[in-house]
Amino acid sequence: IYAISSTINLKRGFDEDDLYTNLSWLSAEQSKIEDRIFFTNQKQVPPSLFLYDVTSSYLEGEHNELAEWGYNRDKKKGKQQIVIGLLTSDDGTPITTEVFKGNTQDPASLQSQIQKCKERFHCQHVTFVGDRGMIKSGQIKQLEKHGFHYITAITKVQIQTLIKKNILQYNLFDDQLLEIEDDGIRYIIRRNPVRAEELSKTRSNKQTSIEKLVITQNTYLATHPRAKVYSGGFSLRRFLKIA
């Protein structure tokens, strides 16, 4: 931070106090700045589609009022963290950010975003887009309360339930988009060819690995008279994660 003094022609030195002073001002004025940018960019019709997601950032220090132990996306063990939420327009332009305590669950952070759209941005017709871990039953009720809509993915368990109820069938998944409506919910389904190819390669690689292991074990048994078949089978079961 010291090198910036000459870059911006500061006569006086530049230190941590200057940085924190500016950050404090920015924190106090954040809502006003975000509102000004939002309403400047949305002079005509307010956006009706918002994208929302969260991430986390671990902390080295211990003196942060929002620092908590939580799901660490950085895979940094032994570090407290903060959770950061980002709300954007449909083209990915940032609208507002918010920092939460490090143990905040993803769905719990959505409520304040709903309030922002309703109260600060005065949006009436809104659709939130979030991943399957973000928009759950509680959040759906909050959205419906305000007349808002949502787009999200469903979980594997939900898919299996729909298949058991004969609402979805495996043969419906094709390269073309298909829409199914049930109990007021629209399901848009499609077979993802890229993902299908990835799964096919994974299965093929696993099969190749198993075949190589079987050959290795059989060769060892054939060349070592005292070797036991059970031991070779144990190695194979362990590789396949079979009890």
Side-chain angles (χ1 to χ4, degrees):
I1 64 175
Y2 302 103
I4 197 174
S5 297
S6 58
T7 303
I8 59 179
N9 296 321
L10 281 181
K11 300 297 183 181
R12 186 178 61 82
F14 184 85
D15 56 26
E16 291 88 345
D17 292 336
D18 297 289
L19 177 62
Y20 289 129
T21 297
N22 281 276
L23 287 175
S24 295
W25 175 87
L26 185 61
S27 177
E29 299 294 321
Q30 178 182 348
S31 296
K32 294 180 181 178
I33 295 172
E34 291 175 343
D35 290 352
R36 190 178 304 129
I37 294 174
F38 178 84
F39 289 111
T40 299
N41 293 336
Q42 309 297 332
K43 292 181 179 179
Q44 298 179 348
V45 180
S48 58
L49 188 68
F50 291 88
L51 314 180
Y52 181 66
D53 202 2
V54 299
T55 187
S56 61
S57 181
Y58 72 90
L59 304 170
E60 292 291 351
E62 299 178 353
H63 302 288
N64 187 306
E65 60 180 313
L66 297 178
E68 288 287 353
W69 303 103
Y71 170 60
N72 198 305
R73 296 167 177 81
D74 298 310
K75 308 300 181 183
K76 198 76 173 181
K77 295 182 179 180
K79 300 292 183 182
Q80 290 184 314
Q81 65 173 21
I82 55 175
V83 171
I84 306 165
L86 173 64
L87 184 70
T88 79
S89 59
D90 57 355
D91 63 355
T93 300
I95 294 175
T96 176
T97 59
E98 186 170 355
V99 180
F100 305 90
K101 285 190 174 182
N103 58 357
T104 302
Q105 298 294 316
D106 292 2
S109 69
L110 185 62
Q111 174 61 34
S112 61
Q113 316 310 314
I114 297 174
Q115 291 176 336
K116 289 176 187 177
C117 290
K118 191 75 174 183
E119 299 171 5
R120 280 178 50 187
F121 302 140
H122 309 300
C123 297
Q124 300 299 321
H125 305 287
V126 171
T127 298
F128 271 90
V129 181
D131 61 34
R132 70 195 71 192
M134 179 71 64
I135 303 177
K136 298 184 177 181
S137 57
Q139 288 64 50
I140 292 174
K141 290 181 180 179
Q142 293 173 7
L143 290 166
E144 290 176 344
K145 178 182 177 181
H146 295 284
F148 291 172
H149 305 282
Y150 65 92
I151 298 174
T152 189
I154 57 177
T155 64
K156 182 179 179 180
V157 174
Q158 290 173 311
I159 294 175
Q160 292 172 339
T161 300
L162 292 171
I163 290 175
K164 289 180 180 179
K165 292 181 177 180
N166 205 33
I167 297 171
L168 297 182
Q169 294 88 38
Y170 286 111
N171 59 2
L172 294 177
F173 290 84
D174 199 353
D175 291 346
Q176 301 298 317
L177 287 175
L178 179 66
E179 178 180 330
I180 296 175
E181 186 170 340
D182 178 68
D183 196 23
I185 300 177
R186 294 170 59 206
Y187 297 98
I188 309 298
I189 63 175
R190 178 178 181 264
R191 180 179 181 271
N192 187 333
V194 176
R195 181 58 177 158
E197 184 179 356
E198 290 175 350
L199 292 174
S200 178
K201 288 182 178 179
T202 299
R203 286 192 295 267
S204 178
N205 291 338
K206 286 183 178 180
Q207 181 177 344
T208 300
S209 298
I210 293 170
E211 291 173 350
K212 287 182 179 179
L213 180 59
V214 170
I215 293 173
T216 300
Q217 293 297 327
N218 288 340
T219 302
Y220 183 83
L221 289 171
T223 55
H224 295 76
R226 300 181 63 181
K228 298 180 179 180
V229 174
Y230 174 81
S231 298
F234 175 77
S235 298
L236 186 59
R237 289 194 300 274
R238 184 173 58 182
F239 179 81
L240 297 175
K241 298 180 180 180
I242 299 175

